[in-house]
Amino acid sequence: MKRFYKRSSVSRLAPEQLERQGRISRLAFETLRQPAEAITFLNTHHAALGGRPIDLAIASAEGLRDVERALSVLPGSDPTASEGTDQ
């Protein structure tokens, strides 16, 4: 009997996109220190960035750098949290 699997309509991320997604997520959680704040930051449109930070970081290395900079200037952010994450 042949099994049929429903193909997902969600596209998979390329390895470099997955790396950027993990990197910005980790940085947001380390910087903001509150899971709800990190999730809100990553998933809410950010006017200065022109989009959702998670989408921008996944899309390109430049987007990732822009979001990293935005995180570094947020009130309550820990400027030492991102030390050593540059690649």
Side-chain angles (χ1 to χ4, degrees):
M1 173 182 263
K2 189 172 183 178
R3 291 187 177 194
F4 293 94
Y5 295 95
K6 196 175 206 179
R7 290 190 184 252
S8 175
S9 62
V10 177
S11 61
R12 293 179 183 234
L13 297 175
E16 61 275 4
Q17 291 174 310
L18 288 170
E19 191 278 328
R20 290 192 299 265
Q21 180 186 45
R23 184 171 163 180
I24 201 61
S25 297
R26 187 172 44 257
L27 182 61
F29 279 85
E30 289 172 355
T31 302
L32 298 173
R33 304 204 179 233
Q34 296 294 322
E37 288 181 34
I39 292 167
T40 298
F41 171 80
L42 291 169
N43 292 293
T44 302
H45 181 87
H46 193 280
L49 293 170
R52 290 187 338 148
I54 191 74
D55 294 335
L56 299 169
I58 290 170
S60 69
E62 180 182 355
L64 173 64
R65 285 189 299 274
D66 291 344
V67 176
E68 288 173 333
R69 279 192 292 271
L71 270 170
S72 72
V73 298
L74 286 177
S77 67
D78 179 359
T80 63
S82 63
E83 286 181 3
T85 60
D86 287 343
Q87 290 183 359

